[in-house]
Amino acid sequence: GEPWREGFLDLLMLPSMKPYLTEILGDYRMAYLPRLIMMDPGCAGHYLHGGRLNRQTFAHTYMAKFGKIYSSLVIVEFPLTDEGPGDGGLALVAGGHKANFPIPERLKDYEAYQDHVVEVLVKPGDAVIFNEITIHGTLLWRGEHQRRALLYHYSPRYQLSRALYPDVSYPDYVADMTEEQQAMLKPPQD
């Protein structure tokens, strides 16, 4: 296999992440393919989104009951470049996954309520785990370098129906993956 591929494959089932994802999701799998975010200096970012009431589906949920977390879609962001103070990049509203009110429009556009928005400071080698319904987005990129980050999305294995995966095919390099890495790609079993 290509040497550049190994690092990306290792992130599918990173041993240090497994206990956290298992605690939050139980038996889990990749929800969809990893994504790469690239932002050049001056890039406008992405509006703040998420929240429980802004979703018209139960496919995006968070609940804590009897001391256990139940979550439907979790994102792990792996920064490939530094995101320092004032650079912009990933931003979250702490506790935004528990909000029982719609996101105010002026918060979505980062025009108001800035004191509730946390600019996440990270370096390559860090990982940020958050629920998809946490109010999140990206702030205007003010860093002097290109921002790059990988997003890996995970969901409980039981959540998706096999009917959504009528014909599953895989690229050739999947044969080079470990059994545990391949399991992350398999559709749910009915």
Side-chain angles (χ1 to χ4, degrees), residues 50-55 96-104 107 133 135:
R52 291 177 5 165
L53 296 183
N54 292 71
R55 306 290 179 135
H97 59 295
K98 300 176 184 179
N100 284 310
F101 298 95
I103 303 170
L107 173 61
I133 64 167
I135 298 170

Side-chain angles (χ1 to χ4, degrees), residues 15-92:
S16 59
M17 300 298 297
K18 191 173 181 178
Y20 299 102
L21 294 173
T22 299
E23 178 68 23
I24 296 169
L25 296 167
D27 184 23
Y28 63 93
R29 61 175 303 282
M30 292 289 296
Y32 32 88
L33 293 175
R35 296 178 178 172
L36 170 66
I37 294 176
M38 296 175 19
M39 297 174 73
D40 290 325
C43 183
H46 186 51
Y47 69 94
L48 296 172
H49 57 285
R52 291 177 5 165
L53 296 183
N54 292 71
R55 306 290 179 135
Q56 296 297 316
T57 174
F58 288 104
H60 297 108
T61 59
Y62 167 87
M63 180 177 66
K65 192 169 186 174
F66 304 118
K68 172 93 175 96
I69 295 171
Y70 298 91
S71 189
S72 62
L73 184 60
V74 169
I75 300 170
V76 180
E77 180 171 305
F78 297 103
L80 301 177
T81 55
D82 287 346
E83 295 181 32
D87 283 348
L90 179 63
L92 304 169

